[in-house]
Amino acid sequence: MKNIVITGGAGFIGSHVVRLFVNKYPQYNIINLDKLTYAGNLANLKDIEDKPNYKFVKMDICDFEAFYQLMQDEKIDGIIHLAAESHVDRSIKDPFTFARTNVMGTLSLLQAAKLYWESLPEKYEGKRFYHISTDEVYGALKMNHPEGIEPPFKTVASSEGHKAYGDDFFYETTKYNPHSPYSAAKASSDHFVRAYHDTYGMPTIVTNCSNNYGPYQFPEKLIPLFINNIRHRKPLPVYGKGENVRDWLYVEDHARAIDLIFHEGKIAETYNIGGFNEWKNIDLIMVMIKTVDRILGNPEGASLDLITYVTDRLGHDARYAIDSTKLQKELGWEPSLQFEEGIEKTVRWYLDNQEWMDNITSGEYEKYYEEMYKGR
Ligand code: NAD
Ligand code: DAU
């Protein structure tokens, strides 16, 4: 029996990780610990909420006392830490919340876990603190091949005609160089996690993943926001010229990597997770428009007029591209889904789950969204 806390389990990636663990490991106790901020949504977990090996606990990761008590009450052996403020645009408007949750919250979990595990006769034996981070901590890569070149690597996830837009990639050895308040806070939390290994011998692992897409993503992020706006014939706010590059991975492939690394990853290691699947935003937006229009039965190109170029994001990172060779070679992880299939599945999911979307985008969120785009 293993007692595992998954933080941020009511969010986008966390809900996929919770679902995978609850279904795959009936012998584990899975505790989903989440504060339920605007981004947390228990509707993401309707299908598993009644399983006997699942429990939800509403808690703020910054509440050290409460988490220390939970560690003792539930005899926690493993922590998979996803809870965070995750949206770059919000971090530009409100950096304090990002420092509080992402830095102080992570530190609070680390310290509570350390105190509890050190109090046990077996101490750190069989224990694990796994911190989920992002490729954004590495900074931005150069776009020195704006037309794209033949990439050095390919995986199942790579799109058809897959290109690389620069010579360099993010490796596990790449120096941290975060630019946004979000990535600065994530970088700081990564450093704290590693410091707890190096100083106290805590069994930690850190992974850095590229952009995820798929069902249950909060519609402030590019893909769900644009699918929903196309459906409702609302403007599609493209930042700058739409030339920034992101490297996209289907969320269930990230969840499978987390499962593998939690069980088989080496303590104190870092693993990059990504599918070698670079896309310029504008090209991806064209694919979304085409796919949504086809599925809704609109004439081809009917939604192209929704594209609206708006003021660029401050400090907008040019290009992210992750090298996940280490994870593939050392642990045998492979993405399962090609990007074209993943996008088709994702568009269909959002169009089929309009109620899930409407519950989020009505009311208070509607006001926030209007405020966010005022003046852009
Ligand atoms: P999300 O915003 O969808 O979910 C975050 C979850 O954390 C929510 O359920 C929220 O309620 C919870 N939370 C926030 N503050 C909390 C607090 N103080 N206490 C307890 N719970 C709190 O985020 P996501 O996109 O699922 O990202 C999950 C993790 O993965 C984050 O750590 C993020 O940095 C990382 N990550 C995300 C991506 C991506 O593309 N989305 C890529 C790489 C890494
Ligand atoms: O790289 C991993 C990161 O990916 C994660 O760590 C973050 O938590 C996650 O939010 C994501 O960050 P991005 O900033 O890359 O994702 P976002 O969906 O916000 O934006 C993707 C790209 O699209 C980015 O270049 C900005 C652009 N964009 C975004 C929005 C919301 C637009 O052009 N218009 C928009 O309205």
Side-chain angles (χ1 to χ4, degrees), residues 13 85-89 133-137 170 182 186 209-212 217 219-226 229 236-240 242 244-248 281 284-285 310 312-313 316-318 320 369 373 376:
I13 303 173
E85 289 292 336
S86 70
H87 192 43
V88 176
D89 293 325
S133 193
T134 169
D135 59 358
E136 299 199 14
V137 296
F170 294 139
Y182 162 68
K186 288 297 288 187
C209 189
S210 62
N211 284 62
N212 285 214
Q217 187 167 30
E220 63 190 349
K221 308 281 171 29
L222 179 76
I223 290 185
L225 173 71
F226 276 40
N229 283 10
L236 306 175
V238 181
Y239 297 169
N244 302 62
V245 169
R246 296 291 181 266
D247 181 355
W248 294 93
N281 289 340
L284 174 57
I285 289 161
V310 298
D312 208 352
R313 174 183 278 175
H316 198 172
D317 285 338
Y320 302 148
Y369 180 78
Y373 286 99
R376 271 191 182 267

Side-chain angles (χ1 to χ4, degrees), residues 96-225:
F96 283 97
T97 307
F98 282 69
R100 179 186 180 274
T101 294
N102 299 2
V103 185
M104 290 307 290
T106 302
L107 180 56
S108 179
L109 298 181
L110 284 163
Q111 181 65 8
K114 170 187 177 288
L115 287 185
Y116 171 60
W117 287 339
E118 282 187 350
S119 73
L120 301 174
E122 75 275 17
K123 300 209 181 290
Y124 291 131
E125 190 62 42
K127 307 293 187 285
R128 196 153 273 211
F129 189 106
Y130 177 5
H131 177 62
I132 310 301
S133 193
T134 169
D135 59 358
E136 299 199 14
V137 296
Y138 295 126
L141 293 164
K142 290 211 169 63
M143 281 273 288
N144 46 7
H145 295 291
E147 298 312 315
I149 52 166
E150 187 64 31
F153 309 101
K154 223 174 152 40
T155 67
V156 173
S158 310
S159 56
E160 279 167 27
H162 167 55
K163 290 177 186 161
Y165 292 95
D167 300 311
D168 206 4
F169 294 85
F170 294 139
Y171 306 99
E172 284 83 356
T173 49
T174 301
K175 260 199 188 155
Y176 274 32
N177 185 19
H179 298 140
S180 71
Y182 162 68
S183 54
K186 288 297 288 187
S188 172
S189 65
D190 296 8
H191 290 318
F192 269 109
V193 173
R194 294 194 180 102
Y196 265 66
H197 171 267
D198 297 350
T199 309
Y200 309 110
M202 190 128 136
T204 61
I205 296 185
V206 177
T207 56
N208 300 81
C209 189
S210 62
N211 284 62
N212 285 214
Y213 71 99
Y216 301 113
Q217 187 167 30
F218 195 84
E220 63 190 349
K221 308 281 171 29
L222 179 76
I223 290 185
L225 173 71

Side-chain angles (χ1 to χ4, degrees), residues 155 172 272-276 322-328 333:
T155 67
E172 284 83 356
N272 278 353
I273 310 173
F276 292 108
I322 209 146
D323 183 315
S324 59
T325 308
K326 174 176 168 180
L327 176 60
Q328 293 175 42
W333 174 83

Side-chain angles (χ1 to χ4, degrees), residues 28-41:
Y28 293 178
N29 284 321
I30 305 296
I31 297 165
N32 171 11
L33 185 160
D34 201 296
K35 182 183 172 183
L36 299 182
T37 66
Y38 78 95
N41 186 354

